[in-house]
Amino acid sequence: MSISIAGVNYSGFIDYDRENLRKASLKTRILWLEYRVKKIITDPLDQVLPPEAPCYKPVNDGDRTFNLCGVTLVACAIEGLGHFLTGNEDTNGTSFKVWIAAYMPDWNKTINGMRLIDWLWDSARNGLAHQLTFKTGGTEAHEGKRFVETADGQIEMDPFLFYADFKTGLVRYFDELKTIIKLQTPFEARFMNTLLPGRILTVPP
């Protein structure tokens, strides 16, 4: 499977596409990343994560659950996209939180003095990536509520709505990226510095 952009076929895999991407336009690089995210993240997750997905039952049947795998992947994807949004190589969650605030605003709330994006970064993204479990709280569907606070003060998030909101934000991000120069500058810097390394580009303050 591949995509043709400006008459050139791209696989979505950087090792195969790097030389063509070096010669490509900014628009082509944006379309390439959009295709890659679809190919390696959303298309596969669409097959397994939502309860109505064709492969949902096999990966959640018996003593199996895919929900935490799905949340881990989505959270890491948000961080990666956040770096394209800011152009920065931060490791403190700034880019992650900036992307959520911009493109998943329903998750940019405060619960009893705690910012939900701080909890998502520390407990969900870092907890799942580094200790294979939420540091506090967890996932649970609550009749269409994105998140709830339990009686003991824990936060429980709906993994399916988290993914649905991520996909909505993803569409808006790439739509805006194609037309808004302010977004294109950090994108180009991040793309060149990480995917096509050579001359280091910096983002103007």
Side-chain angles (χ1 to χ4, degrees):
M1 183 178 176
S2 62
I3 185 174
S4 179
I5 308 173
V8 177
N9 286 331
Y10 292 92
S11 67
F13 298 116
I14 189 62
D15 286 348
Y16 294 106
D17 296 338
R18 183 174 283 113
E19 291 311 310
N20 283 329
L21 286 169
R22 288 190 189 280
K23 299 176 287 185
S25 66
L26 173 61
K27 179 180 179 181
T28 292
R29 291 170 182 159
I30 292 171
L31 291 172
W32 181 88
L33 187 66
E34 183 178 33
Y35 170 68
R36 177 173 170 81
V37 171
K38 183 175 185 291
K39 180 171 186 169
I40 70 169
I41 299 174
T42 57
D43 274 4
L45 282 179
D46 283 346
Q47 298 298 308
V48 292
L49 182 55
E52 67 277 9
C55 297
Y56 176 83
K57 187 173 181 180
V59 297
N60 289 283
D61 193 29
D63 199 27
R64 291 184 294 270
T65 178
F66 187 79
N67 292 352
L68 295 184
C69 295
V71 171
T72 303
L73 180 55
V74 172
C76 289
I78 290 170
E79 182 183 10
L81 289 162
H83 290 304
F84 283 98
L85 180 60
T86 64
N88 296 329
E89 185 59 48
D90 62 86
T91 58
N92 61 0
T94 297
S95 294
F96 174 91
K97 297 171 187 178
V98 167
W99 201 91
I100 289 183
Y103 295 104
M104 296 173 66
D106 288 325
W107 296 84
N108 187 25
K109 309 290 184 182
T110 299
I111 304 175
N112 284 346
M114 178 187 295
R115 295 199 312 162
L116 189 59
I117 54 176
D118 292 334
W119 176 82
L120 285 168
W121 168 253
D122 185 55
S123 186
R125 190 278 178 204
N126 287 342
L128 289 169
H130 299 299
Q131 63 186 40
L132 306 181
T133 182
F134 281 77
K135 291 183 179 180
T136 62
T139 63
E140 192 74 42
H142 286 279
E143 299 179 346
K145 296 178 181 178
R146 288 176 170 82
F147 47 87
V148 299
E149 183 180 17
T150 62
D152 60 353
Q154 302 293 307
I155 296 175
E156 291 183 345
M157 60 176 286
D158 186 318
F160 313 120
L161 292 178
F162 185 63
Y163 177 54
D165 289 345
F166 166 70
K167 287 181 64 180
T168 299
L170 195 62
V171 171
R172 188 159 65 87
Y173 170 63
F174 279 109
D175 283 348
E176 292 182 354
L177 182 58
K178 292 166 188 173
T179 59
I180 300 176
I181 294 176
K182 184 179 179 180
L183 298 180
Q184 293 173 355
T185 301
F187 170 87
E188 180 76 340
R190 180 69 176 174
F191 197 101
M192 296 300 294
N193 293 340
T194 57
L195 300 181
L196 304 176
R199 182 169 61 92
I200 300 298
L201 300 183
T202 58
V203 180

